[in-house]
Amino acid sequence: MAAAALRTRATRAPVLVDYTILRIHRQLSSNSPPPVTSNTLSVELLRLLFAAPAWTPDLAGAVSSTLSSAPAPAHDVVVYVLRSLKNPSLAAPFFLLASASSSQPLPPDAYNAVLPFLSHDLAALEKVLEEMSHLGYGLPNPACAALVATLVRSRRLEDAFRVIGAMRHLKFRPPFSAYTVLIGALAEARQPERALELLRQMQDVGYEVSVPLFTTLVRALAPHGLRPDDVSYTSMVWVLCKAGRLGEAEELFGQMEAERDVPCAYAYNTMIMGYGSAERFDDAYKLLERLRERGCIPSVVSFNSILTCLGKKRKVDEALTLFDVMKKDAKPNISTYNIIIDMLCMAGRVNEAYKIRDEMELAGLFPNLLSVNIMVDRLCKANQLEEAHRIFESASERGCNPNSVTYCSLIDGLGKKGKIDDAYRLFEKMLDAGHDANPIIYTSLIRNFFMHGRKEDGHKIYKEMIRRGGRPDLTLLNTYMDCVFKAGEVEKGRAIFEDMKSFGFLPDVRSYSILIHGLTKAGQARETSNIFQAMSQQGFALDARAYNAVVDGLCKSGKVDKAYEVLEEMKVKHVHPTVATYGSIVDGLAKIDRLDEAYMLFEEAKSKGIELNVILYSSLIDGFGKVGRIDEAYLILEEMMKKGLTPNVYTWNSLMDALVKTEEIDEALICFQSMKEMKCSPNTYTYSILINGLCRVQKYNKAFVFWQEMQKQGLIPNVVTYTTMISGLAKVGNITDAYSLFERFKTNGGIPDSASFNALIEGMSNANRPMEAYQVPSIQCMAALLLFGKTTI
């Protein structure tokens, strides 16, 4: 935008310019000043801006000239100048000029600094928000809330509404307080429709709307002789029911009921749905009776409301009873039949679903495409693919040609069952039939190809979608990124995260959770802190799953204290920590020997009634074992088994490793036997622990027995086990087996260490095989050269 187009009239003239410049100069020269060039630049820019009453072409030219004289991008200077400005009318043009003059994007701090000034220039505000969206910067909640509050105080409600609309248009999440302040002001200004629109919008972006906010709205309307209409009341009742605040919903519904001679059926149905969602079906039935008492026959919609809730709660038999009862008052419609068919298919009661479908036809209501789609989708979810396919094939005969939704359900069902090639053939058939593939179908194909180990085909599906001109949605991109990370393609996963912005999406909570989890699994957990900060800046309301990803990443990067802080934040924000939350922190503390704290957290989790799992118990066992507190490790194991939990291979390995390190090898062997009796299969690490332990106490022959057992199990020894076994066999004079093992190790690409060579030479010498012992050093030299070559490549 041209600088001249940004001219605005000055709101007030600067005062005491010389004194202010002198004060700023002293501040810039204090303990943490910018570089000398930045110092000079800041002083010059502030001198120009404080001396000018308004933005003019001459001022724009002088500022531009000053900025261009900087040897490097002066981002720190721009931020400082914005924070020091007194005349708000100069902030927007200065910022936009600085942004246009810079070869690199300005940092988030610069955008955060200019936002509070932009209530004077909404066109500039929209441009700044657009730039922030394009750069992927988060919205600073305090600055945005202050901006809306300023507009409200100035009674510029239309502008405040416009600002929130601009934030939503650019997929930002406006601050909670911005909504509440504006809703209150709109209610007082007798604009209930807009206030209610914002209430619904708050629900859409994931905010929990409070009862006091509703009360404020209703009370603000009353003095002006305004009474909420049926739609307004019902909307309020529904939001309260959805938030689980039935007491307040009942109060509001009662107020509405008392004010009206003729009951509003829509409001009754909404309250019935609320009762049903809370499983208060007796209250729902009473409300039906109350509707009758007020002279109204309950409609099919009322019954359908209860049937829908019964279906969601899997109360199929109760729903069928109500279905029979309702026929006395209301004739079931096609939605009623579809609700019943839906719940029967979900329950796997397919024959009964067919009977309802036949009854539907007898009633003159032939199953529509929705009926077919419900049956196909629910049967696929119930793993009854053959039945689903039969309905799919017979749909055309009944005049219901399958659409993309029908195809999608069957494609997904086949894919999840592992019949991924059949799913792809059906996908091609769908395209040949003239149906467009939507992101849901592509998401299913990508996920199922990756899930069954065919990642290259998964990548091809994504590329095919782009080639066909399809655009992914955020769910598809999140799923694709998750699959890619799980397949070990870390950089590709990062690239997908960045590509979200190019498709016009801002990453959501799930996107960030997947990114953190993927990086953590790849050993790059150190980035978790920065990602969490970015999430906080954008005002995301994190759920337990997202918090758990953050906590796990912080613990794996050694930032356990920061993870503790996140745990406390969860409690403050009423997000209940799960066993995964506690498990990550307990494991993190155990790994850095802060075992008493780990145990206290373990006890806290138990006191909160959290069902602890094997992973958490094993972390404690491993921690106590590593510091030699074997008795306590045993007590934890005993408690775990009393809870009915079965130790896994990690649990046993942790305990055996601890016993071996204290040379309690007999006890370790007892654990090994218990492990096998409990049908827990040993892994390579299990055998390595025992072989190393037996060699430590010079029971080499016994170690070799375990070595042979390990081979029979098809387990591949690691380098430490090889070298330990070679040394052990050589020391007891079993040179033939030691040398055979030595050769096999080299053949498999292993490089023996000096301990193996020395043990082999010593064993050959003791066995009176001096010539062979003489040849070993030459082998050692070759190995050393090979090792040297590898380390220098």
Side-chain angles (χ1 to χ4, degrees), residues 671-723:
C671 283
F672 179 72
Q673 194 56 41
S674 299
M675 176 185 186
K676 293 207 291 188
E677 286 170 2
M678 295 179 73
K679 309 297 182 191
C680 181
S681 300
N683 60 14
T684 300
Y685 188 52
T686 316
Y687 283 104
S688 298
I689 290 167
L690 291 174
I691 290 167
N692 295 340
L694 287 163
C695 288
R696 246 172 119 161
V697 295
Q698 299 183 9
K699 292 185 178 182
Y700 301 110
N701 292 330
K702 181 70 172 172
F704 192 55
V705 171
F706 277 103
W707 172 273
Q708 291 171 320
E709 184 180 319
M710 184 182 189
Q711 303 292 297
K712 286 176 187 174
Q713 299 288 338
L715 299 172
I716 300 170
N718 56 29
V719 175
V720 175
T721 312
Y722 258 116
T723 53

Side-chain angles (χ1 to χ4, degrees), residues 482-777:
D482 190 37
C483 290
V484 164
F485 270 122
K486 284 175 179 173
E489 300 181 23
V490 181
E491 293 310 315
K492 178 70 177 171
R494 284 177 182 274
I496 295 168
F497 182 82
E498 294 302 324
D499 282 348
M500 288 178 181
K501 296 164 193 170
S502 67
F503 285 110
F505 300 112
L506 285 174
D508 63 4
V509 172
R510 184 164 179 254
S511 313
Y512 280 104
S513 299
I514 291 167
L515 179 65
I516 292 170
H517 188 71
L519 293 174
T520 301
K521 288 287 182 187
Q524 299 178 27
R526 292 190 176 280
E527 298 179 48
T528 300
S529 223
N530 293 335
I531 298 170
F532 180 55
Q533 189 176 359
M535 293 171 79
S536 300
Q537 283 179 348
Q538 292 189 44
F540 283 122
L542 276 67
D543 57 10
R545 181 180 174 183
Y547 271 117
N548 288 346
V550 171
V551 167
D552 189 49
L554 290 169
C555 289
K556 283 188 167 60
S557 61
K559 298 177 181 176
V560 183
D561 290 326
K562 179 67 178 173
Y564 249 130
E565 290 175 18
V566 175
L567 174 64
E568 292 307 312
E569 180 181 313
M570 289 177 76
K571 295 172 186 175
V572 169
K573 293 188 175 179
H574 306 293
V575 179
H576 298 297
T578 67
V579 65
T581 324
Y582 282 103
S584 294
I585 302 178
V586 166
D587 187 60
L589 290 167
K591 279 185 166 54
I592 56 174
D593 297 346
R594 287 164 61 177
L595 288 160
D596 293 328
E597 291 174 71
Y599 189 77
M600 286 172 65
L601 206 59
F602 166 76
E603 288 294 332
E604 179 185 309
K606 285 198 294 184
S607 70
K608 291 181 179 293
I610 291 172
E611 195 171 328
L612 306 185
N613 57 21
V614 175
I615 298 170
L616 197 152
Y617 276 105
S618 299
S619 294
L620 271 182
I621 290 167
D622 184 53
F624 280 121
K626 276 186 167 58
V627 296
R629 292 164 67 174
I630 308 291
D631 290 340
E632 286 156 289
Y634 264 119
L635 287 171
I636 298 293
L637 178 68
E638 186 181 346
E639 179 183 322
M640 182 180 85
M641 293 173 75
K642 280 182 180 176
K643 296 274 186 184
L645 297 172
T646 305
N648 60 20
V649 67
Y650 176 75
T651 320
W652 289 115
N653 286 350
S654 299
L655 190 56
M656 284 188 282
D657 189 51
L659 290 165
V660 160
K661 283 174 180 170
T662 55
E663 297 192 358
E664 294 185 44
I665 190 66
D666 292 334
E667 196 70 34
L669 291 171
I670 291 170
C671 283
F672 179 72
Q673 194 56 41
S674 299
M675 176 185 186
K676 293 207 291 188
E677 286 170 2
M678 295 179 73
K679 309 297 182 191
C680 181
S681 300
N683 60 14
T684 300
Y685 188 52
T686 316
Y687 283 104
S688 298
I689 290 167
L690 291 174
I691 290 167
N692 295 340
L694 287 163
C695 288
R696 246 172 119 161
V697 295
Q698 299 183 9
K699 292 185 178 182
Y700 301 110
N701 292 330
K702 181 70 172 172
F704 192 55
V705 171
F706 277 103
W707 172 273
Q708 291 171 320
E709 184 180 319
M710 184 182 189
Q711 303 292 297
K712 286 176 187 174
Q713 299 288 338
L715 299 172
I716 300 170
N718 56 29
V719 175
V720 175
T721 312
Y722 258 116
T723 53
T724 303
M725 199 67 251
I726 290 166
S727 300
L729 289 169
K731 282 176 182 175
V732 294
N734 193 344
I735 301 302
T736 304
D737 285 332
Y739 194 74
S740 173
L741 206 56
F742 181 83
E743 289 299 323
R744 194 195 310 171
F745 182 38
K746 289 194 298 173
T747 302
N748 292 337
I751 301 173
D753 59 11
S754 59
S756 300
F757 283 110
N758 292 337
L760 202 57
I761 292 167
E762 186 180 350
M764 286 176 174
S765 300
N766 292 338
N768 200 23
R769 294 162 69 173
M771 292 308 295
E772 291 173 78
Y774 181 73
Q775 291 173 358
V776 172

